Each structure stands twice: as structure tokens, then as C-alpha cells.
Amino acid sequence: MTGESDYETSVRERRTETPAEFGSRRAGLMTRVQNTLHATPALVPLIVLIASIAIFGLLIGDRFFSPFSLTLVLQQVQIVGIVAAAQSLVILTAGIDLSVGAITVLSSVVMGQFAFRYGIPVPLALACGLGCGALCGAINGTLVAKMKLPPFIVTLGTWQVFLATNYLYSRNETIRAQDIQAEASLLQLFGAKFQIGGAVFTVGVVFMVVLVLGLAWILRSTAWGRHVYAVGDDAEAAQLSGVNADRTLIGVYTLAGLICGFAGWALIGRIGSVSPTSAYEANIESITAVVIGGISLFGGRGSILGTLFGALIVGVFSLGLRLMGADAQWTYFFIGVLIIAAVAVDQWIRKVSA
């Protein structure tokens, strides 16, 4: 009997621990972190979002933490959030859609032109705009799935085609907000506001949140959602296991186009008019939200909830820096840093499955 206490024993064991054992414990901890992040891809952007809100809240104070300011972020990112949801579906299949912004604005122009140039009832004009978005997406999906063309090249080309069609069809004319308010207020439905306490929400914000939650459930709980992940992870293996990869790809791009159609409707409510020159940055902004949100550009991994968090991170940085009086270029600087960091983290997490 040595009379040595448990505490002294534990201290002695730690002192005699070899460097190899310490390195093994450390490697085990890092592996557990990697596995956790791999299993919960939305965790990283959620942590970044909470940290961003906390930091700007401490630096700015009540002006940032007010319910109005925080819900203003939601209003500002509603279009990007909806378009990014469409982009997420495509990127999960290891593709990319550079035409989402053009589809969004073309759909909004079709809605406005059908209602005002042809006098078609507004509900039918809206349906035609949504159908236009779905058709554009189906064209992208068919070219990618059936003709085996690279998604980047296909959507780069259709982006130009859809954008030119938008300008030619609209004659580059804007339908003013006054005309819409007078004759077809349903077109501005997504811009309608309602207040809960000091927080101000819009129908577009509610639609964005419901859309993301609905898609998250579909991707996690349905066979089609599992097929999307399988095609993104390895299309050939998915095909051999009985998944119709071509049909899945066409369905994804068509659904993405339809969602962009809804984004076009929300765009009319957001800006109050039908403008053929709006949403020109939606392509880059949607990809930014997806990447920061933790969805892998290599496909097959990620959560669409992370995309929503990514869009909110961009909105928080934009509002926070503006309230601090910083130059707008600092927003691009920090978002660029976040994009690089997100890709680096994705590469690190992917080593788990390597």
C-alpha cells in the first residue's frame, strides 16, 4: 500500500504519458470533430452565424440587436435565399447553375408582360411565369443529363440565352410600381409586410423559410432526396444501384427553375416593379450562400439549412458593416475570406470519407 491518492495517481500517469499517446488522443479528438461536422454539415455555418450576430451586437449595440434590424436581414436576403435553395439542389448533384439569376428575372418579366401587355388575368400570368421558370430549368437538365454536357458550360450558355430573351421580350421596359399597385396587387404579394412586436416580416420571408424547411425534409426523408445525394456522390454507382440518374438530374434542374420562378414573383414584391435589369447578381450571390453554407461543390454532401444560414451570414455582415459606417468594399472582402475558409473546411471534412 503506497498511500498514493487518486489525484496523485492521475497526475503521475499524465506525466508519464508518451508523446505518441498524446498525439493519438489529439488525433482522436480531431477525428471526432471531423465526423461530427461531416454528419451535421449545417453546424459550421450556424456557429459562424451566431458568432457574427454576437460580434456585431457587441460592436454596435442596440441598433443591431433590435427586432427591426434582425428581421431587416431576413427581408434583404429573401431573394438570394430562395434562389440559393434552387442552387443548392443543383450543386448537391455535383453540378452548378449559372443561369438562376436570368431565369428569375425572365420569369418576373413574363408575369408582368402577360398581365399588362396581353391583359391575361394575374393568377394565370403568375402560372405562366412559374411555368417559364420550370421550362428553363428543364432545358438545362435535359442538356446536362441526356447530352452529357458539363453543367458549367451548359448554364453559362443558357444564362446568355435567357438573359437576351428577357431583354428582347421586355423591350428593356420597366413596369412601374404605380401601375402594379393600381391594377394587379397580387403581383406584389411577396412584398406584403406584417408586424409581430417590433419585428417586421414579409410574405417573401415566410415563403423562403417554409421552402427551405420543406426541401430539407424532402432531401432527408424521401427516396427522391436520397437519389439526389447518391447522384451527386457518384452518378455511375447510383445508376448501377438502380437510381435513374438522368431522370433525377432533369427533375432537379426543373425544380430549381420552378423555384427561380417563385423568386421572380418575390422579386416583384421586393422592388415593387417589374424590371428586366434586376437580380443581375443572383448567380454569384446564390453560389456564395451555398458555399458558405457548407454544401460541397463536389456534390453529395451538405444541408440546405446550411444554405439559409450562409445567406443570413452575408446579410448580417452587410447590415453590420453598414451600421458601423464601413466602406461597402469591406463586405466583399470579408465574404471572400469566408468563401475561402468554407472551401478549406469542406476539404478538411471530406478527408473523413477519403
Side-chain angles (χ1 to χ4, degrees), residues 7-18 25:
Y7 172 76
E8 291 170 332
T9 301
S10 64
V11 170
R12 178 172 53 79
E13 289 175 349
R14 284 199 297 271
R15 286 175 176 174
T16 57
E17 185 178 46
T18 65
R25 288 175 56 190

Side-chain angles (χ1 to χ4, degrees), residues 201-240:
F201 299 92
T202 65
V203 174
V205 168
V206 175
F207 176 81
M208 175 186 68
V209 174
V210 171
L211 172 68
V212 170
L213 293 177
L215 289 176
W217 180 84
I218 291 172
L219 290 170
R220 185 182 65 251
S221 305
T222 67
W224 184 82
R226 290 190 290 273
H227 292 172
V228 171
Y229 279 103
V231 169
D233 190 46
D234 190 331
E236 292 184 6
Q239 189 77 37
L240 291 174

Side-chain angles (χ1 to χ4, degrees), residues 292-326:
I292 295 177
I295 292 183
S296 175
L297 289 174
F298 299 96
R301 195 189 71 81
S303 168
I304 200 166
L305 288 176
T307 293
L308 177 59
F309 297 149
L312 291 174
I313 289 169
V314 175
V316 167
F317 269 82
S318 299
L319 178 63
L321 291 172
R322 188 163 64 249
L323 290 176
M324 291 177 64

Side-chain angles (χ1 to χ4, degrees), residues 35-243:
N35 287 326
T36 300
L37 297 180
H38 188 272
T40 316
L43 187 58
V44 173
L46 177 59
I47 293 172
V48 174
L49 176 61
I50 294 173
S52 302
I53 293 174
I55 291 171
F56 281 115
L58 291 173
L59 292 175
I60 300 172
D62 294 341
R63 284 193 303 157
F64 184 81
F65 267 138
S66 68
F68 176 79
S69 294
L70 293 178
T71 51
L72 181 61
V73 173
L74 287 169
Q75 294 180 43
Q76 291 176 336
V77 304
Q78 61 181 314
I79 306 301
V80 174
I82 297 172
V83 176
Q87 188 74 261
S88 297
L89 295 174
V90 175
I91 291 181
L92 282 173
T93 64
I96 196 166
D97 193 343
L98 300 179
S99 67
V100 287
I103 296 175
T104 297
V105 68
L106 177 60
S107 299
S108 70
V109 165
V110 168
M111 294 173 185
Q113 293 292 330
F114 273 39
F116 288 92
R117 182 187 296 182
Y118 307 126
I120 294 176
V122 173
L124 183 57
L126 292 171
C128 290
L130 297 176
C132 174
L135 176 61
C136 292
I139 292 172
N140 285 335
T142 301
L143 292 174
V144 170
K146 296 298 185 182
M147 299 188 66
K148 309 302 179 185
L149 299 177
F152 181 91
I153 302 300
V154 167
T155 57
L156 180 63
T158 55
W159 166 54
Q160 300 280 4
V161 171
F162 298 153
L163 202 60
T165 302
N166 158 54
Y167 289 133
L168 291 171
Y169 177 65
S170 66
R171 303 171 186 171
N172 211 16
E173 296 176 352
T174 297
I175 299 175
R176 299 175 305 168
Q178 298 92 320
D179 297 330
I180 296 177
Q181 291 173 353
E183 300 183 25
S185 58
L186 184 60
L187 282 170
Q188 297 178 323
L189 172 65
F190 280 72
K193 296 181 179 181
F194 60 95
Q195 190 166 342
I196 301 177
V200 180
F201 299 92
T202 65
V203 174
V205 168
V206 175
F207 176 81
M208 175 186 68
V209 174
V210 171
L211 172 68
V212 170
L213 293 177
L215 289 176
W217 180 84
I218 291 172
L219 290 170
R220 185 182 65 251
S221 305
T222 67
W224 184 82
R226 290 190 290 273
H227 292 172
V228 171
Y229 279 103
V231 169
D233 190 46
D234 190 331
E236 292 184 6
Q239 189 77 37
L240 291 174
S241 65
V243 175

Side-chain angles (χ1 to χ4, degrees), residues 252-300:
V252 164
Y253 279 90
T254 302
L255 178 57
L258 177 62
I259 293 172
C260 288
F262 278 103
W265 186 3
L267 180 64
I268 297 174
R270 175 63 181 164
I271 66 177
S273 61
V274 180
S275 172
T277 60
S278 57
Y280 65 93
E281 292 183 338
N283 298 338
I284 298 301
E285 290 176 343
S286 66
I287 296 172
T288 298
V290 171
V291 173
I292 295 177
I295 292 183
S296 175
L297 289 174
F298 299 96

Side-chain angles (χ1 to χ4, degrees), residues 322-346:
R322 188 163 64 249
L323 290 176
M324 291 177 64
D327 191 296
Q329 300 306 318
W330 281 108
T331 301
Y332 296 107
F333 176 87
F334 285 115
I335 296 305
V337 171
L338 285 174
I339 291 173
I340 296 171
V343 173
V345 170
D346 175 63

